Amino acid sequence: MVKSAEGGLEANREKVAKFYNNRFAIEGHSVKSVGWKDKASQFLSFDMLFRDYDASGKTILDVGCGLGDLYTFLSQKYCSRIALVNISAAFGLVG
């Protein structure tokens, strides 16, 4: 198991979760709570990520899913012909 210099994986997971849960408390259900300027820039990034990959009929693992917005993007692009598994350390974000 890999450990960080400051307390191990669980301590780091808790720091990440606290950071994003605090942002969510301030920004609410908004792309800003997960660090995006706006929905357009978020979807542009998703589009670049999947520009050369056809995810239709595939199962995608989204580690660090934030609000789960990748599902919205992919379901619009592939008409819901995808499956997505979301994993987040900040449980308050995933609805």
Side-chain angles (χ1 to χ4, degrees):
M1 181 185 301
V2 177
K3 285 194 173 186
S4 73
E6 295 185 35
L9 293 174
E10 184 60 22
N12 284 332
R13 188 206 63 80
E14 289 173 7
K15 286 179 189 176
V16 168
K18 183 178 179 182
F19 174 81
Y20 283 107
N21 286 329
N22 287 341
R23 285 183 63 116
F24 184 75
I26 294 166
E27 298 290 343
H29 191 91
S30 163
V31 295
K32 291 182 179 182
S33 68
V34 289
W36 293 101
K37 175 184 170 191
D38 53 37
K39 182 73 82 178
S41 61
Q42 180 191 44
F43 274 35
L44 176 61
S45 179
F46 293 160
D47 196 40
M48 294 302 293
L49 182 63
F50 286 90
R51 71 178 174 190
D52 295 326
Y53 180 74
D54 181 5
S56 183
K58 306 287 192 310
T59 300
I60 306 295
L61 175 61
D62 185 5
V63 177
C65 65
L67 300 169
D69 292 328
L70 181 60
Y71 178 77
T72 302
F73 169 80
L74 290 174
S75 65
Q76 289 173 1
K77 185 169 182 164
Y78 297 107
C79 301
S80 300
R81 295 183 316 267
I82 55 101
L84 190 70
V85 177
N86 290 325
I87 297 176
S88 178
F91 301 114
L93 299 181
V94 181

